[in-house]
Amino acid sequence: MLMGNDLRNRTIADLAAGDGYFTFKLIEVGANVIAISDDQRQLDAIEARKKEMKLGDDRLRTRLVTKGQAGLAPDEVDACLLAHSYVSIPDKKVYLQQVYAGTRMPKPLFILEWLNTETPVGPPMTDRISSERIMDDVGLAGYTDVGAYSAKIPNQVFLFASYQSGLGDDSQGMDPAQLLTQ
């Protein structure tokens, strides 16, 4: 729900698909997904589940990329999701620029990360990064509307970003999740 009320027929890039948890959650709500990973075994597992579910390439595609590459063509997707992987990206600036270029206007980007504090679950502190740092990085990549929710999902922070054109724009001040549904 944090990504918008209606993702049907939207193409979403699951930028760090892992075991496909979010890939298949997005499929369940009607999105078409490009599951991206730097691990062929993960993609093979997603492909096997895709086959079991009898999903076509119109609903789910997988893509193997080199670590640190977004793997998107210009304006290929309607939105991007990056879950629990931001800290491991080697060149965050280049990566975010690739994500920005690969996403159609208003360039919605959603990032889920662990809180940068001790929590009962999640990775060690060395594998966490502050939401402020992520928001700064995202802003430097060209996104103009950046924010975070930390009370919605236990022990995690949900960050969102999009590009908002000029100050007189009707969408100014609107939640980027709402922009996806317009």
Side-chain angles (χ1 to χ4, degrees):
M1 288 190 53
L2 291 173
M3 289 182 67
N5 295 330
D6 189 0
L7 298 179
R8 288 176 295 181
N9 301 315
R10 303 281 186 180
T11 301
I12 312 296
D14 186 353
L15 295 169
D19 65 3
Y21 177 83
F22 289 107
T23 293
F24 291 102
K25 290 293 185 189
L26 291 165
I27 293 284
E28 285 176 17
V29 296
N32 303 318
V33 179
I34 302 172
I36 299 172
S37 177
D38 62 0
D39 185 332
Q40 185 62 54
R41 292 171 302 169
Q42 291 176 332
L43 294 176
D44 291 344
I46 291 170
E47 283 288 343
R49 186 167 174 198
K50 172 186 170 181
K51 187 175 181 180
E52 289 172 14
M53 295 174 69
K54 296 180 172 73
L55 294 171
D57 288 344
D58 59 323
R59 293 297 315 283
L60 175 58
R61 290 177 281 154
T62 57
R63 187 170 296 162
L64 181 66
V65 297
T66 303
K67 186 166 189 68
Q69 298 295 308
L72 296 172
D75 293 326
E76 183 175 17
V77 297
D78 296 304
C80 292
L81 171 65
L82 180 65
H84 301 134
S85 299
Y86 190 79
V87 72
S88 68
I89 297 167
D91 189 336
K92 293 166 180 46
K93 179 181 178 183
V94 167
Y95 184 84
L96 288 169
Q97 289 170 341
Q98 292 172 359
V99 169
Y100 185 89
T103 311
R104 290 186 276 275
M105 290 298 255
K107 303 191 177 288
L109 170 61
F110 303 94
I111 300 173
L112 181 64
E113 277 300 332
W114 295 98
L115 288 173
N116 194 29
T117 185
E118 291 290 338
T119 58
V121 296
M125 289 302 296
T126 56
D127 293 338
R128 298 178 188 224
I129 189 169
S130 74
S131 56
E132 291 81 9
R133 164 74 191 280
I134 297 171
M135 289 190 294
D136 287 347
D137 291 351
V138 166
L140 292 172
Y143 295 90
T144 59
D145 189 12
V146 182
Y149 299 113
S150 60
K152 301 279 184 182
I153 304 171
N155 306 309
Q156 299 169 72
V157 59
F158 184 82
L159 299 105
F160 56 88
S162 67
Y163 175 80
Q164 303 289 320
S165 58
L167 293 175
D169 192 317
D170 289 339
S171 63
Q172 193 69 13
M174 183 180 285
D175 184 329
Q178 291 175 331
L179 294 174
L180 248 184
T181 61
Q182 292 187 344

